[in-house]
């Protein structure tokens, strides 16, 4: 008899900042269920997304590849469809793959045996399974505040209900272990918490907005192009009166901080944190179901979010940047009796989810550019990832415990922050001679990593024939793995935090 493969449940939210969780350090956060999950597993305190924007990082999850390799370097750019995807490998191991909710990674692989997919964004797609669900109860699929849809019928509750139903069916029909991906669209905007969740933060302190007047004008050109602040003075002038909520949150113009809008900004932020708390309650229902069905101990649960958002930290409200409010994310793994409980680890990125899921399913993709976090936890070993690394359009960044370096390749510009002594990321040390040695070491490591990520699968597949040199180098090429650049970077930055 072979060993019993575990079930795997991946739960993701969309645009959830790390500081929406009490277990991550916000003492005022309403997150009892995720705090409990962290106490029953491992909390990664320095988890980062692979790319701080929706579609690129979701494509990295599906393929295990960094954005320059799978091709989706920003929203609106399609990923390559000729590369391997992890559900194919799980299916070969006998898994029934369930996909429920938001995808945003392009074509959905056929190896997802069960598919309940949302169409479009939160306020659109009335012809999808959620739209039809609402119509049966007399509601239209639309996003607004106040939200008329009861909380038990609202999107994220319905996705949890659907996930539970489909897991139940797989269990009843004994279709082998399951991999279930419950992908919630909240707390992504529009910010529309249902019922009591719209006011749950009314008397609870919010994290202070981290903004110094004038800083937005000094952002790197690359960043300003992405977030639409190239003509900052003109846009600030338009926004100064803050006449209406519609104007306040209008694309580009309404995304810039203004003291005159502070009250409306905080009203918006309270609803955002309330919507995150609503998601926590739905995740609690999903965990309660696993406990009730006796599935908990044989199910690896991973919770995370695709990225955060600024919510006016550093003067703007968007993603597409490497500030902690956006790049850093919540990340929890739990499987009682198999991996430690109530412990913390440092770094993880979204590519690691791919490698981790595959390892739990007793398989791997050689092309995957991430670390398996499951096996070291199971064996009580140290985590293999010693840093976070990511890409955004034509840029790359690295974060260690102490340092964060951003490099904008097209403009040859960089930024350097001391994460321990300047956690608000307000003092750019990039051109400070005192920190040149640190800067050069980080930059060399980051650019070497960026140059050393390849489509390993394609290289190996296309290697063959040629003369003596080609035959000699073929041996080296065929030994390549997707982890090579990740492991090399571990060595290149060794001792950087000492």
């Amino acid at each position: 008899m072979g060993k019993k493969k575990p079930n795997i449940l991946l739960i993701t939210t969309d645009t959830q900042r790390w500081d929406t969780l009490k277990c991550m350090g916000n003492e005022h956060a309403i997150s009892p269920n995720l705090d409990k999950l962290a106490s029953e597993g491992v909390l990664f305190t320095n988890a980062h997304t692979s790319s701080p924007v929706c579609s690129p990082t979701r494509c990295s999850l599906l393929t295990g590849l960094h954005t320059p390799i799978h091709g989706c370097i920003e929203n609106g750019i399609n990923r390559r469809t000729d590369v391997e995807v992890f559900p194919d490998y799980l299916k070969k191991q006998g898994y029934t793959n369930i996909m429920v909710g938001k995808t945003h990674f392009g074509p959905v692989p056929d190896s997802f045996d069960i598919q309940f997919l949302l169409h479009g964004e939160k306020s659109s797609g009335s012809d999808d399974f959620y739209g039809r669900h609402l119509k049966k109860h007399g509601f239209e699929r639309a996003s607004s505040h106040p939200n008329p849809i009861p909380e038990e019928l609202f999107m994220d509750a319905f996705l949890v209900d659907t996930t539970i139903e489909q897991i139940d069916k797989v269990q009843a029909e004994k279709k082998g272990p399951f991999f279930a991906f419950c992908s919630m669209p909240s707390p992504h905007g529009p910010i529309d918490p249902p019922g009591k969740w719209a006011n749950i933060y009314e008397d609870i302190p919010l994290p202070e907005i981290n903004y110094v007047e004038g800083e937005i004008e000094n952002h790197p050109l690359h960043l300003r192009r992405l977030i639409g602040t190239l003509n900052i003075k003109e846009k600030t002038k338009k926004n100064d009166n803050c006449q209406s909520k519609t104007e306040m949150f209008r694309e580009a113009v309404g995304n810039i901080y203004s003291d005159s809008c502070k009250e409306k900004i905080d009203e918006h932020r309270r609803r955002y944190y309330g919507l995150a708390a609503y998601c926590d309650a739905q995740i609690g229902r999903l965990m309660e179901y696993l406990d009730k069905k006796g599935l908990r101990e044989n199910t690896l649960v991973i919770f995370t979010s695709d990225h955060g958002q600024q919510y006016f930290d550093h003067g703007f409200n968007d993603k597409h940047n490497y500030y902690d409010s956006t790049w850093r994310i919540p990340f929890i793994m739990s499987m009682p009796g198999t991996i430690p409980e109530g412990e913390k680890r440092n770094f993880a990125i979204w590519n690691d989810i791919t490698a981790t899921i595959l390892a739990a399913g007793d398989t791997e993709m050689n092309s995957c550019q991430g670390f398996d976090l499951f096996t070291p936890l199971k064996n009580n070993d140290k985590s293999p990832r010693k840093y976070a690394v990511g890409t955004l359009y034509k840029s790359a960044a690295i974060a260690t415990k102490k340092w964060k370096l951003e490099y904008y390749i097209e403009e040859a510009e960089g930024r350097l922050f001391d994460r321990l002594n300047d956690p608000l990321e307000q003092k750019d040390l990039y051109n400070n001679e005192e920190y040149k040695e640190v800067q050069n070491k980080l930059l060399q490591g980051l650019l070497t990593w960026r140059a050393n990520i390849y489509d390993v699968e394609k290289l190996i597949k296309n290697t063959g024939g040629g003369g003596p040199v080609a035959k000699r180098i073929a041996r080296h090429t065929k030994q390549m793995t997707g982890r090579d650049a990740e492991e090399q970077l571990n060595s290149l930055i060794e001792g950087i935090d000492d």
Side-chain angles (χ1 to χ4, degrees):
M1 292 284 290
K3 62 180 179 180
K4 187 178 180 182
K5 290 186 173 68
N7 303 307
I8 305 167
L9 172 61
L10 173 63
I11 309 167
T12 62
T13 52
D14 194 322
T15 317
Q16 185 164 356
R17 289 166 54 124
W18 65 270
D19 65 3
T20 55
L21 273 63
K22 184 177 285 188
C23 61
M24 287 289 287
N26 178 1
E27 62 178 328
H28 302 295
I30 301 172
S31 54
N33 295 289
L34 287 170
D35 296 340
K36 182 173 184 287
L37 186 65
S39 73
E40 296 170 343
V42 176
L43 173 69
F44 289 81
T45 57
N46 254 317
H48 290 67
T49 185
S50 299
S51 184
V53 62
C54 319
S55 193
T57 205
R58 289 170 180 268
C59 291
S60 288
L61 166 66
L62 186 68
T63 64
L65 304 173
H66 288 287
T67 67
I69 308 305
H70 64 60
C72 177
I73 61 172
E74 244 296 349
N75 283 347
I77 301 173
N78 295 332
R79 70 170 171 87
R80 291 171 53 195
T81 56
D82 62 333
V83 295
E84 298 176 316
V85 292
F86 79 85
D88 292 356
Y89 278 70
L90 290 180
K91 190 170 177 65
K92 291 174 186 174
Q93 293 295 313
Y95 278 81
T96 294
N97 296 321
I98 304 167
M99 178 74 239
V100 176
K102 180 173 180 176
T103 57
H104 208 181
F105 48 58
V108 179
D110 292 338
S111 49
F112 277 113
D113 307 279
I114 299 167
Q115 300 183 17
F116 286 85
L117 312 179
L118 294 174
H119 299 162
E121 294 299 330
K122 288 176 70 176
S123 56
S124 62
S126 59
D127 63 333
D128 63 15
F129 78 115
Y130 174 59
R132 294 190 293 272
H133 158 75
L134 286 182
K135 280 185 180 178
K136 284 193 297 186
H137 293 87
F139 296 97
E140 292 295 321
R141 182 175 167 183
S143 181
S144 61
H145 176 76
N147 190 336
I149 301 170
E151 60 183 79
E152 67 272 13
L153 298 179
F154 189 53
M155 181 180 286
D156 307 285
F158 179 60
L159 296 179
V160 166
D161 290 342
T162 305
T163 302
I164 289 171
E165 288 170 6
Q166 297 311 310
I167 291 175
D168 257 349
K169 285 183 180 179
V170 172
Q171 291 289 295
E173 295 170 10
K174 298 183 178 179
K175 290 185 175 179
F178 64 80
F179 165 69
F181 185 177
C182 179
S183 176
M184 301 183 188
S186 296
H188 188 291
I191 305 302
D192 53 356
K196 67 182 180 184
W197 306 97
N199 302 308
I200 199 166
Y201 270 88
E202 189 170 352
D203 299 316
I204 294 176
L206 297 173
E208 288 293 323
I209 293 176
N210 171 23
Y211 172 62
V212 175
E213 187 175 354
E215 69 173 290
I216 197 167
E217 288 92 338
N218 295 317
H219 287 153
L221 176 62
H222 203 96
L223 172 58
R224 291 169 64 191
R225 184 182 293 119
L226 287 172
I227 64 175
T229 56
L230 289 174
N231 302 316
I232 182 66
K233 289 182 180 177
E234 180 184 337
K235 290 176 179 179
T236 305
K237 186 177 179 182
K238 286 181 182 178
N239 187 51
D240 221 22
N241 294 328
C242 199
Q243 295 173 355
S244 68
K245 293 178 188 178
T246 302
E247 180 179 308
M248 175 59 215
F249 300 111
R250 196 168 62 212
E251 181 69 19
V253 176
N255 280 352
I256 298 168
Y257 182 85
S258 171
D259 282 332
S260 64
C261 297
K262 181 67 164 62
E263 187 176 334
K264 289 180 179 178
I265 286 172
D266 280 346
E267 179 187 339
H268 189 70
R269 292 171 71 227
R270 278 192 290 273
R271 295 206 307 268
Y272 167 77
Y273 282 88
L275 191 52
Y278 171 75
C279 290
D280 178 87
Q282 305 317 310
I283 292 166
R285 291 198 307 115
L286 193 45
M287 300 312 299
E288 186 179 355
Y289 161 78
L290 293 181
D291 284 331
K292 184 178 176 182
K293 290 291 185 175
L295 295 171
R296 188 75 173 84
E297 289 193 355
N298 195 45
T299 302
L300 171 64
V301 177
I302 302 173
F303 165 76
T304 186
S305 190
D306 58 351
H307 53 78
Q309 185 148 320
Q310 290 308 107
Y311 284 99
F312 300 96
D313 283 342
H314 300 283
F316 65 99
N317 182 28
D318 211 328
K319 38 194 180 279
H320 310 275
N321 70 87
Y322 295 113
Y323 284 121
D324 264 16
S325 300
T326 290
W327 191 22
R328 192 176 165 202
I329 52 169
F331 192 113
I332 300 168
M333 288 175 57
S334 178
M335 189 176 178
T338 299
I339 65 175
E341 297 181 41
E343 294 192 10
K344 294 180 180 179
R345 298 292 187 274
N346 267 302
F347 290 100
I349 67 171
W350 262 47
N351 289 50
D352 298 335
I353 302 174
T354 317
T356 298
I357 288 172
L358 290 169
D362 200 25
T363 186
E364 64 176 345
M365 292 193 318
N366 188 56
S367 58
C368 184
Q369 295 167 334
F371 286 115
D372 160 24
L373 305 175
F374 177 73
T375 305
L377 286 176
K378 186 175 66 171
N379 295 335
N380 206 23
D381 292 335
K382 289 182 179 179
S383 183
R385 183 166 291 282
K386 299 178 182 178
Y387 56 85
V389 68
T391 55
L392 173 64
Y393 196 57
K394 298 170 77 174
S395 69
I398 181 172
T400 69
K401 291 179 189 177
K402 182 171 175 58
W403 304 105
K404 179 185 289 183
L405 179 93
E406 307 168 9
Y407 191 70
Y408 300 92
I409 298 165
E410 196 167 40
E411 298 82 12
E413 286 186 309
R415 294 203 294 180
L416 176 67
F417 296 104
D418 183 334
R419 301 183 70 212
L420 298 183
N421 295 310
D422 177 29
L424 298 181
E425 300 175 289
Q426 289 289 353
K427 299 173 184 176
D428 179 12
L429 305 173
Y430 191 78
N431 291 312
N432 188 322
E433 286 298 321
E434 185 180 346
Y435 298 94
K436 275 295 178 186
E437 185 178 346
V438 167
Q439 176 184 311
N440 289 338
K441 186 169 184 176
L442 286 168
L443 187 58
Q444 179 191 10
L446 181 63
L447 293 182
T448 300
W449 169 85
R450 175 63 182 84
N452 198 29
I453 52 174
Y454 293 99
D455 182 349
V456 169
E457 178 197 10
K458 190 170 185 178
L459 275 177
I460 293 174
K461 191 179 293 183
N462 291 346
T463 294
V469 175
K471 287 184 172 66
R472 280 197 299 273
I473 203 64
R475 288 193 292 271
H476 181 73
T477 303
K478 290 182 177 181
Q479 292 173 356
M480 291 171 63
T481 74
R483 291 188 312 279
D484 291 346
E486 312 293 306
E487 291 172 345
Q488 183 187 32
L489 187 51
N490 268 343
S491 300
L492 289 173
I493 64 164
E494 190 172 1
I496 193 73
D497 290 328
D498 295 344

